[in-house]
Amino acid sequence: MKIILTITILILTSFKINAQNTFEIFKGSLISDVVQNSNNDFYYCGWNYANFNAYLLKTNSSGIQSWEKNIYGYPNSGVTWGDRFEKLLLLNNSLYLSGTFTEVLGSSQYNSDFLLFKTDLSGNELFSKKFNSGGQYYDEGYFLTNTNDNRLILGGKGWDGSGQYGAFIRTDLAGTISNDNLGNPSPFIQGPINDIIETDDNHFITLSSQIVKTDSLYNKIWRILVPSTEFYSITSYDNNIFYAVGSKFDNNTNQTDRIFLKFNSTGNILYSKEYNDSDCNISSSNAKYEPEYFSSIDTTIDNNLILSGVVSTN
């Protein structure tokens, strides 16, 4: 099986594909997020499930790799889990990454915490910090966002032995935990939180199998439900219109396709589109019945949208 990364540029006015790069990344790896710099280069982060390491790499606009950094990892340790980068921010001429840090306790035994990692623009480590959500067992980091007061929120899923829960940590840009940690801001979200964005009115929109907007006291304002869908990433240009991506199960093909959703600040869906194998130049004869998904969405330097995701082929 080959893991294929697709980079899709959408024109905001028509949501037609303006440009697309499709290329194979190194075997055994998954891309979780991508950002574009002012020189039209791309930074990617993700993890390698063969060596259990998180990685960060840079390419030009054609996908030609400039450099790659492999972080941590436990090759040949026997564990079935490893370190992961999930989200990437380009902020103040630095790269901030969040994900999961795994500590090996013994043969096939491990513990995991939220990971916050900072590098310079060449991928050299500036600091790394890990955080526990307060649960007894495992934490898995899924998201990272910059707040209106120039702080960071990271988190994802905690596990306390009885079940999973959404969890949040707030820090300053140096990775120091704030006194006003968020905890779980939305009791309407069950299970992991995949992404979060703060709006201009200091409200939060969180993503999981649903999209929920809450006020600053975490009271629900509205909720969007799309059947058989998991949302992974959200972005906005002006805090009036929002764009979310993820995966949606197709009952007709018994397959999971990628989904793109546009909605406004009052929770009304304005546009929705699903993408399948044919959208990334992969013939149906080569497609595998594996989950397809958009893992990230971001704005581009020319005021369009960039979506990254994964499909599998024979």
Side-chain angles (χ1 to χ4, degrees):
M1 181 181 71
K2 295 180 181 179
I3 304 297
I4 304 296
L5 166 68
T6 65
I7 302 297
T8 302
I9 308 296
L10 292 183
I11 302 175
L12 270 179
T13 53
S14 64
F15 301 104
K16 294 181 179 179
I17 294 177
N18 183 36
Q20 180 169 267
N21 291 333
T22 302
F23 53 91
E24 181 181 354
I25 59 176
F26 46 92
K27 185 177 181 181
S29 299
L30 291 175
I31 291 281
S32 57
D33 203 5
V34 56
V35 297
Q36 184 185 33
N37 66 18
S38 59
N39 295 322
N40 203 28
D41 300 320
F42 295 96
Y43 294 96
Y44 307 88
C45 72
W47 70 91
N48 184 303
Y49 54 79
N51 295 322
F52 303 105
N53 64 267
Y55 71 86
L56 171 67
L57 64 88
K58 180 183 178 182
T59 74
N60 64 16
S61 59
S62 299
I64 298 175
Q65 185 171 311
S66 302
W67 50 258
E68 172 195 339
K69 304 286 184 177
N70 291 285
I71 314 296
Y72 304 134
Y74 302 94
N76 305 315
S77 64
V79 301
T80 57
W81 192 254
D83 299 313
R84 300 184 177 200
F85 284 143
E86 293 280 2
K87 290 296 179 180
L88 173 62
L89 291 180
L90 179 56
L91 185 64
N92 298 336
N93 292 316
S94 298
L95 297 171
Y96 288 85
L97 303 101
S98 70
T100 303
F101 174 83
T102 303
E103 180 182 10
V104 178
L105 304 177
S107 177
S108 298
Q109 295 180 330
Y110 59 90
N111 186 40
S112 59
D113 293 311
F114 297 143
L115 173 66
L116 178 63
F117 200 89
K118 180 182 179 181
T119 77
D120 60 22
L121 296 182
S122 296
N124 300 308
E125 179 181 344
L126 300 178
F127 71 69
S128 62
K129 299 192 177 186
K130 60 179 182 177
F131 308 97
N132 186 276
S133 69
Q136 183 179 358
Y137 295 102
Y138 314 118
D139 293 318
E140 297 177 25
Y142 293 156
F143 68 86
L144 177 67
T145 191
N146 185 220
T147 63
N148 296 340
D149 56 358
N150 205 30
R151 290 188 286 180
L152 301 172
I153 301 177
L154 66 151
K157 179 177 74 174
W159 179 264
D160 60 7
S162 61
Q164 61 184 15
Y165 55 88
F168 294 74
I169 301 292
R170 177 153 39 189
T171 78
D172 60 21
L173 296 184
T176 302
I177 293 180
S178 302
N179 292 327
D180 56 341
N181 272 327
L182 292 176
N184 184 355
S186 178
F188 303 98
I189 298 287
Q190 302 297 320
I193 306 299
N194 295 326
D195 203 2
I196 187 171
I197 191 171
E198 187 177 14
T199 60
D200 283 343
D201 53 6
N202 297 319
H203 294 169
F204 295 98
I205 299 177
T206 56
L207 300 187
S208 60
S209 57
Q210 54 189 308
I211 302 173
V212 178
K213 183 175 183 179
T214 65
D215 62 21
S216 58
L217 297 177
Y218 319 132
N219 299 303
K220 184 184 71 171
I221 299 174
W222 51 254
R223 172 168 47 184
I224 296 174
L225 291 171
V226 180
S228 306
T229 299
E230 188 80 12
F231 293 102
Y232 295 123
S233 185
I234 185 172
T235 193
S236 175
Y237 271 106
D238 56 11
N239 273 285
N240 291 313
I241 303 297
F242 299 87
Y243 309 92
V245 294
S247 63
K248 188 177 189 302
F249 186 76
D250 188 332
N251 291 308
N252 294 323
T253 63
N254 199 33
Q255 216 174 337
T256 301
D257 292 328
R258 292 156 289 152
I259 186 171
F260 168 83
L261 192 73
K262 175 186 177 182
F263 57 95
N264 63 17
S265 59
T266 58
N268 296 310
I269 296 176
L270 305 177
Y271 181 84
S272 178
K273 181 174 176 59
E274 296 175 35
Y275 298 84
N276 55 34
D277 300 320
S278 61
D279 297 305
C280 58
N281 303 319
I282 296 174
S283 67
S284 59
S285 61
N286 289 329
K288 284 185 65 71
Y289 289 95
E290 301 282 349
E292 299 180 5
Y293 57 89
F294 280 131
S295 57
S296 70
I297 184 170
D298 204 350
T299 56
T300 64
I301 58 177
D302 55 355
N303 296 321
N304 287 310
L305 295 169
I306 181 170
L307 292 72
S308 65
V310 169
V311 298
S312 302
T313 68
N314 293 313

